[in-house]
Coordinates of all heavy atoms in Angstrom, one line a residue:
M117 N 0.8 -1.2 0.0 CA 0.0 0.0 0.0 C 0.9 1.3 0.0 O 2.0 1.2 0.4 CB -0.9 0.0 1.2 CG -2.0 -1.1 1.2 SD -3.2 -0.8 -0.1 CE -4.1 -2.3 -0.1
A118 N 0.3 2.4 -0.4 CA 1.0 3.6 -0.5 C 0.1 4.8 -0.6 O -1.1 4.6 -0.8 CB 1.9 3.6 -1.8
F119 N 0.6 5.9 -0.3 CA -0.1 7.2 -0.6 C 0.0 7.5 -2.0 O 1.0 7.2 -2.7 CB 0.3 8.3 0.4 CG -0.3 8.2 1.8 CD1 0.0 7.1 2.6 CD2 -1.3 9.1 2.1 CE1 -0.6 7.0 3.9 CE2 -1.9 9.0 3.4 CZ -1.6 7.9 4.2
V120 N -1.0 8.3 -2.6 CA -1.0 8.6 -4.0 C -1.4 10.0 -4.2 O -2.3 10.6 -3.5 CB -2.1 7.7 -4.7 CG1 -2.1 8.0 -6.2 CG2 -1.9 6.2 -4.4
I121 N -0.6 10.7 -5.1 CA -0.9 12.1 -5.4 C -1.8 12.2 -6.6 O -1.6 11.6 -7.6 CB 0.4 12.9 -5.7 CG1 1.3 12.8 -4.5 CG2 0.1 14.3 -6.1 CD1 2.7 13.4 -4.7
T122 N -2.9 12.9 -6.5 CA -4.0 13.0 -7.5 C -4.1 14.3 -8.2 O -3.2 15.2 -8.0 CB -5.3 12.6 -6.9 OG1 -5.7 13.6 -5.9 CG2 -5.2 11.2 -6.2
A123 N -5.1 14.5 -9.0 CA -5.3 15.7 -9.9 C -5.0 17.1 -9.3 O -4.4 17.9 -10.0 CB -6.7 15.6 -10.5
P124 N -5.4 17.4 -8.1 CA -5.2 18.8 -7.6 C -3.7 19.2 -7.6 O -3.4 20.4 -7.6 CB -5.8 18.8 -6.2 CG -6.8 17.7 -6.2 CD -6.2 16.6 -7.1
C125 N -2.8 18.2 -7.7 CA -1.4 18.6 -7.7 C -1.0 19.2 -9.1 O -0.1 20.0 -9.1 CB -0.5 17.3 -7.5 SG 1.2 17.6 -7.5
K126 N -1.8 18.8 -10.1 CA -1.4 19.3 -11.4 C -1.4 20.9 -11.4 O -2.4 21.5 -11.0 CB -2.4 18.8 -12.5 CG -2.2 17.3 -12.7 CD -2.9 16.8 -13.9 CE -2.6 15.4 -14.1 NZ -3.3 14.8 -15.2
N127 N -0.3 21.4 -11.9 CA -0.1 22.8 -12.0 C 0.0 23.6 -10.7 O 0.2 24.7 -10.6 CB -1.2 23.5 -12.9 CG -1.3 22.8 -14.2 OD1 -0.3 22.6 -14.9 ND2 -2.5 22.5 -14.7
E128 N -0.2 22.8 -9.6 CA 0.0 23.4 -8.2 C 1.4 23.3 -7.8 O 2.1 24.2 -7.5 CB -1.0 22.8 -7.2 CG -0.8 23.3 -5.8 CD -1.3 24.7 -5.6 OE1 -2.2 25.1 -6.4 OE2 -0.8 25.4 -4.7
L129 N 1.8 22.0 -7.9 CA 3.2 21.6 -7.6 C 3.8 22.3 -6.4 O 4.9 22.9 -6.4 CB 4.1 22.0 -8.9 CG 3.6 21.3 -10.2 CD1 4.4 21.9 -11.4 CD2 3.9 19.8 -10.1
A130 N 3.1 22.3 -5.3 CA 3.5 23.0 -4.1 C 4.8 22.5 -3.5 O 5.6 23.2 -3.0 CB 2.3 22.9 -3.1
A131 N 4.9 21.1 -3.5 CA 6.2 20.5 -3.1 C 6.4 20.4 -1.6 O 7.5 20.0 -1.2 CB 7.4 21.1 -3.8
E132 N 5.5 20.9 -0.8 CA 5.7 20.7 0.7 C 5.9 19.2 1.0 O 6.6 18.8 1.9 CB 4.4 21.2 1.5 CG 4.5 22.6 1.7 CD 3.8 23.4 0.7 OE1 3.7 23.0 -0.5 OE2 3.3 24.6 1.0
C133 N 5.2 18.3 0.3 CA 5.3 16.9 0.5 C 6.7 16.4 0.4 O 7.2 15.5 1.2 CB 4.4 16.1 -0.5 SG 4.7 16.5 -2.2
V134 N 7.4 16.9 -0.6 CA 8.8 16.5 -0.8 C 9.7 16.7 0.4 O 10.5 15.9 0.8 CB 9.4 17.2 -2.1 CG1 10.9 16.8 -2.3 CG2 8.6 16.9 -3.3
E135 N 9.4 17.9 1.0 CA 10.2 18.3 2.2 C 10.0 17.4 3.4 O 11.0 17.1 4.2 CB 9.9 19.7 2.6 CG 10.0 20.8 1.5 CD 11.4 20.9 1.0 OE1 12.3 20.9 1.8 OE2 11.6 21.0 -0.2
V136 N 8.8 16.9 3.6 CA 8.5 16.1 4.8 C 8.7 14.6 4.7 O 8.7 13.9 5.7 CB 7.1 16.4 5.3 CG1 6.9 17.9 5.6 CG2 6.0 16.0 4.3
C137 N 8.8 14.1 3.5 CA 8.8 12.6 3.3 C 10.1 12.1 3.9 O 11.2 12.4 3.5 CB 8.7 12.3 1.8 SG 8.8 10.5 1.6
P138 N 9.9 11.2 4.9 CA 11.1 10.6 5.6 C 11.9 9.6 4.8 O 13.1 9.4 5.1 CB 10.5 10.0 6.8 CG 9.1 9.6 6.4 CD 8.7 10.6 5.5
V139 N 11.4 9.1 3.7 CA 12.1 8.2 2.9 C 12.4 8.7 1.5 O 12.8 8.0 0.6 CB 11.4 6.8 2.8 CG1 11.4 6.1 4.2 CG2 9.9 7.0 2.3
D140 N 12.2 10.0 1.3 CA 12.6 10.7 0.1 C 12.0 10.0 -1.2 O 12.7 9.8 -2.2 CB 14.1 10.7 0.0 CG 14.6 12.0 -0.6 OD1 13.8 12.9 -0.7 OD2 15.8 12.0 -0.9
C141 N 10.7 9.6 -1.2 CA 10.2 8.9 -2.3 C 9.2 9.7 -3.2 O 8.4 9.1 -3.9 CB 9.5 7.6 -1.8 SG 8.0 7.8 -0.9
I142 N 9.3 11.0 -3.1 CA 8.4 11.8 -3.9 C 9.2 12.6 -4.9 O 10.2 13.3 -4.6 CB 7.6 12.8 -3.0 CG1 6.8 12.1 -2.0 CG2 6.6 13.6 -3.9 CD1 6.1 13.0 -1.0
E143 N 8.9 12.5 -6.2 CA 9.6 13.1 -7.3 C 8.7 13.9 -8.2 O 7.6 13.5 -8.4 CB 10.5 12.1 -8.0 CG 11.6 11.5 -7.2 CD 12.5 10.6 -8.0 OE1 12.7 10.9 -9.2 OE2 13.1 9.7 -7.4
K144 N 9.3 14.9 -8.9 CA 8.5 15.7 -9.8 C 8.4 15.1 -11.1 O 9.4 14.7 -11.7 CB 9.2 17.1 -9.8 CG 8.3 18.1 -10.6 CD 8.9 19.5 -10.4 CE 8.1 20.5 -11.2 NZ 8.2 20.4 -12.6
G145 N 7.2 15.0 -11.7 CA 7.0 14.5 -13.0 C 6.7 15.7 -13.9 O 7.0 16.9 -13.5
E146 N 6.2 15.5 -15.1 CA 6.0 16.6 -16.0 C 5.1 17.7 -15.5 O 5.3 18.9 -15.6 CB 5.5 16.0 -17.3 CG 5.7 17.0 -18.5 CD 5.4 16.3 -19.8 OE1 6.0 15.2 -20.1 OE2 4.5 16.8 -20.5
D147 N 3.9 17.2 -14.9 CA 3.0 18.2 -14.5 C 2.4 17.9 -13.1 O 1.5 18.6 -12.7 CB 1.8 18.3 -15.5 CG 1.0 17.0 -15.6 OD1 1.5 16.0 -15.0 OD2 0.0 17.0 -16.2
Q148 N 3.0 17.0 -12.4 CA 2.6 16.7 -11.0 C 3.7 16.0 -10.3 O 4.6 15.5 -11.0 CB 1.3 15.9 -11.0 CG 1.5 14.5 -11.4 CD 0.4 13.6 -11.0 OE1 -0.5 13.3 -11.7 NE2 0.4 13.1 -9.7
Y149 N 3.6 15.9 -9.0 CA 4.6 15.1 -8.2 C 4.0 13.7 -8.1 O 2.8 13.4 -8.2 CB 4.8 15.7 -6.8 CG 5.7 16.8 -6.8 CD1 5.3 18.1 -7.1 CD2 7.1 16.7 -6.6 CE1 6.2 19.2 -7.1 CE2 8.0 17.7 -6.6 CZ 7.5 19.0 -6.9 OH 8.4 20.1 -7.0
F150 N 4.9 12.7 -7.9 CA 4.5 11.3 -7.8 C 5.2 10.7 -6.6 O 6.4 11.1 -6.2 CB 5.0 10.5 -9.0 CG 4.2 10.8 -10.3 CD1 4.8 11.5 -11.3 CD2 2.9 10.3 -10.4 CE1 4.1 11.8 -12.5 CE2 2.2 10.6 -11.6 CZ 2.8 11.3 -12.6
I151 N 4.5 9.8 -5.9 CA 5.0 9.0 -4.8 C 5.4 7.6 -5.3 O 4.6 7.0 -6.0 CB 4.0 8.9 -3.7 CG1 3.7 10.2 -3.1 CG2 4.4 7.9 -2.6 CD1 2.5 10.3 -2.1
D152 N 6.6 7.2 -5.0 CA 7.0 5.8 -5.4 C 6.3 4.8 -4.5 O 6.7 4.7 -3.3 CB 8.5 5.7 -5.3 CG 9.0 4.4 -5.9 OD1 8.2 3.4 -6.0 OD2 10.2 4.3 -6.3
P153 N 5.4 4.1 -5.0 CA 4.6 3.2 -4.2 C 5.4 2.0 -3.6 O 5.1 1.4 -2.7 CB 3.5 2.7 -5.1 CG 3.9 2.9 -6.5 CD 4.9 4.0 -6.4
A154 N 6.6 1.8 -4.2 CA 7.4 0.7 -3.8 C 8.3 1.1 -2.5 O 8.8 0.2 -1.8 CB 8.4 0.2 -4.9
I155 N 8.4 2.4 -2.3 CA 9.2 2.9 -1.2 C 8.4 3.5 -0.1 O 8.8 3.5 1.1 CB 10.2 3.9 -1.7 CG1 11.1 3.2 -2.8 CG2 11.0 4.5 -0.6 CD1 12.1 4.1 -3.4
C156 N 7.2 4.1 -0.4 CA 6.4 4.8 0.6 C 6.1 3.9 1.8 O 5.8 2.7 1.6 CB 5.0 5.2 -0.1 SG 3.8 5.9 1.0
I157 N 6.2 4.4 3.0 CA 6.0 3.7 4.2 C 4.7 4.0 4.9 O 4.4 3.7 6.0 CB 7.2 3.8 5.2 CG1 7.4 5.3 5.5 CG2 8.5 3.2 4.6 CD1 8.3 5.6 6.7
D158 N 3.8 4.7 4.1 CA 2.4 5.0 4.6 C 2.4 5.8 5.9 O 1.5 5.6 6.8 CB 1.7 3.7 4.9 CG 1.5 2.8 3.6 OD1 1.7 3.4 2.5 OD2 1.1 1.7 3.7
C159 N 3.4 6.7 6.0 CA 3.4 7.5 7.3 C 2.3 8.6 7.3 O 2.0 9.1 8.4 CB 4.8 8.1 7.5 SG 5.2 9.5 6.4
G160 N 1.9 9.1 6.1 CA 0.9 10.1 6.1 C 1.4 11.6 6.2 O 0.6 12.5 6.2
A161 N 2.7 11.8 6.4 CA 3.2 13.1 6.6 C 2.9 14.0 5.4 O 2.6 15.2 5.5 CB 4.7 13.0 6.8
C162 N 3.0 13.5 4.2 CA 2.8 14.3 3.0 C 1.4 14.7 2.9 O 1.1 15.9 2.5 CB 3.2 13.5 1.7 SG 2.3 11.9 1.6
Q163 N 0.5 13.8 3.2 CA -1.0 14.2 3.2 C -1.3 15.4 4.1 O -2.1 16.2 3.8 CB -1.8 13.0 3.6 CG -3.3 13.2 3.4 CD -4.1 11.9 3.9 OE1 -3.8 11.3 4.9 NE2 -5.1 11.6 3.1
A164 N -0.7 15.3 5.3 CA -1.0 16.4 6.3 C -0.5 17.8 5.8 O -1.1 18.8 6.2 CB -0.3 16.0 7.6
V165 N 0.5 17.9 5.0 CA 1.0 19.2 4.6 C 0.5 19.6 3.2 O 0.8 20.8 2.8 CB 2.5 19.3 4.6 CG1 3.0 19.0 6.0 CG2 3.2 18.3 3.6
C166 N -0.1 18.8 2.4 CA -0.5 19.2 1.1 C -1.6 20.3 1.1 O -2.7 20.1 1.7 CB -1.1 18.0 0.3 SG -1.6 18.4 -1.4
P167 N -1.3 21.5 0.5 CA -2.2 22.6 0.6 C -3.5 22.4 -0.3 O -4.4 23.2 -0.1 CB -1.4 23.8 0.1 CG -0.3 23.2 -0.8 CD -0.1 21.8 -0.2
V168 N -3.4 21.5 -1.2 CA -4.6 21.3 -2.1 C -5.3 20.0 -1.9 O -6.1 19.6 -2.8 CB -4.2 21.5 -3.6 CG1 -3.8 23.0 -3.8 CG2 -3.0 20.6 -4.0
E169 N -5.0 19.3 -0.8 CA -5.6 18.0 -0.5 C -5.6 17.0 -1.7 O -6.6 16.4 -2.1 CB -7.0 18.2 0.0 CG -7.0 19.0 1.3 CD -8.4 19.1 1.9 OE1 -9.4 18.5 1.4 OE2 -8.5 19.9 2.8
A170 N -4.4 16.9 -2.3 CA -4.2 16.0 -3.5 C -3.8 14.6 -3.1 O -3.8 13.7 -4.0 CB -3.2 16.6 -4.4
I171 N -3.5 14.4 -1.8 CA -2.9 13.1 -1.5 C -3.8 12.2 -0.7 O -4.4 12.7 0.3 CB -1.5 13.3 -0.7 CG1 -0.6 14.3 -1.5 CG2 -0.9 12.0 -0.4 CD1 0.7 14.6 -0.8
Y172 N -3.9 11.0 -1.1 CA -4.9 10.0 -0.5 C -4.2 8.7 -0.3 O -3.3 8.3 -1.1 CB -6.1 9.8 -1.4 CG -6.9 11.0 -1.5 CD1 -6.7 11.9 -2.5 CD2 -8.0 11.3 -0.6 CE1 -7.5 13.1 -2.6 CE2 -8.7 12.4 -0.7 CZ -8.5 13.3 -1.7 OH -9.2 14.5 -1.8
Y173 N -4.6 8.0 0.8 CA -4.1 6.6 1.0 C -4.8 5.8 -0.2 O -5.9 6.0 -0.6 CB -4.6 6.1 2.3 CG -4.0 4.8 2.7 CD1 -2.7 4.5 2.6 CD2 -4.9 3.8 3.2 CE1 -2.2 3.3 2.9 CE2 -4.4 2.5 3.5 CZ -3.0 2.3 3.4 OH -2.5 1.1 3.7
E174 N -4.0 4.9 -0.7 CA -4.4 4.0 -1.8 C -5.8 3.5 -1.6 O -6.6 3.5 -2.6 CB -3.4 2.9 -1.9 CG -3.5 2.0 -3.1 CD -2.4 1.0 -3.1 OE1 -1.3 1.2 -2.6 OE2 -2.6 -0.1 -3.7
E175 N -6.1 3.0 -0.5 CA -7.4 2.4 -0.3 C -8.6 3.4 -0.2 O -9.7 3.0 -0.3 CB -7.4 1.6 1.0 CG -6.6 0.3 0.9 CD -7.0 -0.7 2.0 OE1 -7.4 -0.3 3.1 OE2 -6.8 -1.9 1.8
D176 N -8.2 4.7 -0.1 CA -9.2 5.7 0.0 C -9.5 6.4 -1.3 O -10.3 7.4 -1.4 CB -8.8 6.8 1.1 CG -8.8 6.2 2.5 OD1 -9.5 5.2 2.7 OD2 -8.0 6.7 3.3
L177 N -8.8 6.0 -2.3 CA -8.9 6.6 -3.7 C -10.3 6.4 -4.2 O -10.8 5.3 -4.1 CB -7.9 6.0 -4.7 CG -6.4 6.4 -4.5 CD1 -5.6 5.6 -5.5 CD2 -6.2 7.9 -4.8
R178 N -10.9 7.5 -4.8 CA -12.1 7.2 -5.5 C -11.8 6.5 -6.8 O -10.7 6.6 -7.3 CB -12.8 8.6 -5.8 CG -13.3 9.3 -4.6 CD -14.2 10.4 -4.9 NE -13.6 11.5 -5.7 CZ -13.0 12.6 -5.2 NH1 -13.1 12.8 -3.9 NH2 -12.5 13.5 -6.0
P179 N -12.8 5.7 -7.4 CA -12.5 4.9 -8.6 C -11.8 5.8 -9.7 O -10.9 5.3 -10.3 CB -13.8 4.4 -9.0 CG -14.6 4.4 -7.7 CD -14.1 5.5 -6.9
E180 N -12.3 7.0 -9.9 CA -11.7 7.8 -11.0 C -10.3 8.3 -10.7 O -9.6 8.8 -11.6 CB -12.7 9.0 -11.3 CG -12.8 10.0 -10.2 CD -13.9 9.7 -9.2 OE1 -14.3 8.6 -9.1 OE2 -14.4 10.7 -8.6
E181 N -9.9 8.1 -9.4 CA -8.5 8.6 -9.1 C -7.5 7.4 -9.1 O -6.3 7.6 -8.9 CB -8.5 9.2 -7.7 CG -9.3 10.5 -7.6 CD -9.5 10.9 -6.2 OE1 -9.6 10.1 -5.3 OE2 -9.6 12.1 -6.0
E182 N -8.0 6.2 -9.3 CA -7.1 5.0 -9.2 C -6.0 5.1 -10.3 O -4.9 4.5 -10.2 CB -7.9 3.7 -9.2 CG -8.5 3.5 -7.9 CD -9.4 2.3 -7.8 OE1 -9.5 1.6 -8.9 OE2 -10.1 2.1 -6.8
V183 N -6.4 5.8 -11.4 CA -5.4 5.9 -12.5 C -4.1 6.6 -12.0 O -3.0 6.4 -12.6 CB -6.1 6.7 -13.6 CG1 -6.4 8.2 -13.2 CG2 -5.2 6.7 -14.9
Y184 N -4.2 7.4 -10.9 CA -3.0 8.1 -10.5 C -2.0 7.2 -9.8 O -0.8 7.4 -9.8 CB -3.4 9.3 -9.5 CG -4.0 10.4 -10.3 CD1 -5.3 10.5 -10.5 CD2 -3.2 11.3 -11.0 CE1 -5.9 11.5 -11.2 CE2 -3.7 12.3 -11.8 CZ -5.1 12.4 -11.9 OH -5.6 13.4 -12.7
L185 N -2.5 6.1 -9.3 CA -1.6 5.1 -8.7 C -0.8 4.4 -9.9 O 0.4 4.2 -9.8 CB -2.4 4.0 -7.9 CG -1.5 2.8 -7.4 CD1 -0.4 3.3 -6.5 CD2 -2.4 1.9 -6.6
E186 N -1.6 4.1 -11.0 CA -1.0 3.5 -12.1 C 0.1 4.4 -12.7 O 1.1 4.0 -13.2 CB -2.0 3.1 -13.2 CG -3.0 2.1 -12.7 CD -2.3 0.9 -12.1 OE1 -1.4 0.3 -12.7 OE2 -2.7 0.5 -10.9
K187 N -0.3 5.7 -12.8 CA 0.7 6.7 -13.3 C 2.0 6.8 -12.5 O 3.1 6.9 -13.0 CB 0.1 8.1 -13.3 CG -1.0 8.4 -14.4 CD -1.5 9.8 -14.2 CE -2.7 10.0 -15.1 NZ -2.6 11.3 -15.9
A188 N 1.8 6.7 -11.2 CA 3.0 6.7 -10.3 C 3.9 5.5 -10.5 O 5.1 5.6 -10.7 CB 2.6 6.8 -8.8
K189 N 3.2 4.3 -10.6 CA 4.0 3.1 -10.9 C 4.7 3.2 -12.2 O 5.9 2.8 -12.3 CB 3.0 1.9 -10.9 CG 2.5 1.5 -9.6 CD 1.6 0.3 -9.7 CE 1.0 -0.1 -8.4 NZ -0.1 -1.1 -8.5
E190 N 4.0 3.7 -13.2 CA 4.7 3.8 -14.5 C 5.8 4.8 -14.5 O 6.9 4.6 -15.1 CB 3.6 4.3 -15.5 CG 4.0 4.2 -17.0 CD 2.9 4.7 -17.9 OE1 1.7 4.4 -17.7 OE2 3.2 5.5 -18.8
F191 N 5.6 5.9 -13.8 CA 6.7 7.0 -13.7 C 8.0 6.4 -13.1 O 9.0 6.6 -13.6 CB 6.2 8.1 -12.8 CG 7.2 9.2 -12.6 CD1 7.4 10.1 -13.6 CD2 7.9 9.3 -11.4 CE1 8.4 11.2 -13.4 CE2 8.8 10.3 -11.2 CZ 9.1 11.2 -12.2
F192 N 7.8 5.6 -12.0 CA 9.0 5.0 -11.4 C 9.6 3.8 -12.1 O 10.7 3.5 -11.9 CB 8.8 4.8 -9.9 CG 8.7 6.1 -9.1 CD1 7.4 6.6 -8.7 CD2 9.8 6.8 -8.8 CE1 7.3 7.8 -8.1 CE2 9.7 8.0 -8.1 CZ 8.5 8.5 -7.7
S193 N 8.7 3.1 -12.9 CA 9.3 1.9 -13.6 C 10.1 2.4 -14.8 O 10.9 1.6 -15.3 CB 8.1 1.1 -14.1 OG 7.4 1.7 -15.2
N194 N 10.0 3.6 -15.2 CA 10.7 4.1 -16.4 C 12.0 4.7 -16.0 O 12.6 5.4 -16.8 CB 9.9 5.1 -17.2 CG 8.7 4.5 -17.8 OD1 8.8 3.3 -18.1 ND2 7.7 5.2 -18.1
R195 N 12.5 4.6 -14.8 CA 13.7 5.3 -14.4 C 14.9 4.4 -14.6 O 14.8 3.2 -14.6 CB 13.7 5.6 -12.9 CG 12.4 5.8 -12.3 CD 12.3 7.0 -11.5 NE 12.1 8.2 -12.3 CZ 12.5 9.4 -12.1 NH1 13.1 9.6 -11.0 NH2 12.2 10.4 -12.9
Ligands
SF4_121 FE1 6.6 9.8 2.0 FE2 5.1 9.2 4.2 FE3 4.0 10.4 2.1 FE4 4.7 7.8 1.9 S1 3.1 8.7 3.2 S2 5.1 9.5 0.4 S3 6.5 7.8 3.1 S4 5.6 11.2 3.4

């Protein structure tokens, strides 16, 4: 399981999440930040500081937001 960054991050790119992540698993993509689901330890620190409420626990994603987990997996698999 992991936390996932969703649509409100697009064009906001606030980046507070990057500063607080204890395992350094958040990276900037083309138009949003992504959390590496293979490294995230589910601490929730990023969710607490996101100013646009873009971050959700994987199990709390609405069906239309599940694509953002797939985008994150794809982003990190291409490194
Ligand atoms: Fe990093 Fe914790 Fe957010 Fe996972 S839940 S991305 S470990 S700050």
Side-chain angles (χ1 to χ4, degrees):
M117 291 293 171
F119 277 71
V120 180
I121 300 176
T122 65
C125 181
K126 289 191 175 175
N127 305 315
E128 177 68 27
L129 301 171
E132 275 91 334
C133 56
V134 177
E135 306 296 321
V136 300
C137 180
V139 291
D140 218 11
C141 71
I142 305 177
E143 290 188 29
K144 190 171 180 291
E146 198 170 305
D147 62 352
Q148 70 163 99
Y149 281 86
F150 289 107
I151 292 170
D152 187 339
I155 299 177
C156 175
I157 57 169
D158 299 344
C159 72
C162 55
Q163 185 182 43
V165 298
C166 179
V168 291
E169 297 184 10
I171 306 178
Y172 294 89
Y173 186 50
E174 185 176 336
E175 287 197 333
D176 296 332
L177 287 172
R178 291 195 297 265
E180 66 270 25
E181 292 167 332
E182 282 171 9
V183 64
Y184 288 95
L185 176 58
E186 297 311 312
K187 285 179 188 226
K189 286 179 181 169
E190 193 181 313
F191 179 77
F192 289 101
S193 73
N194 290 334
R195 333 227 83 209

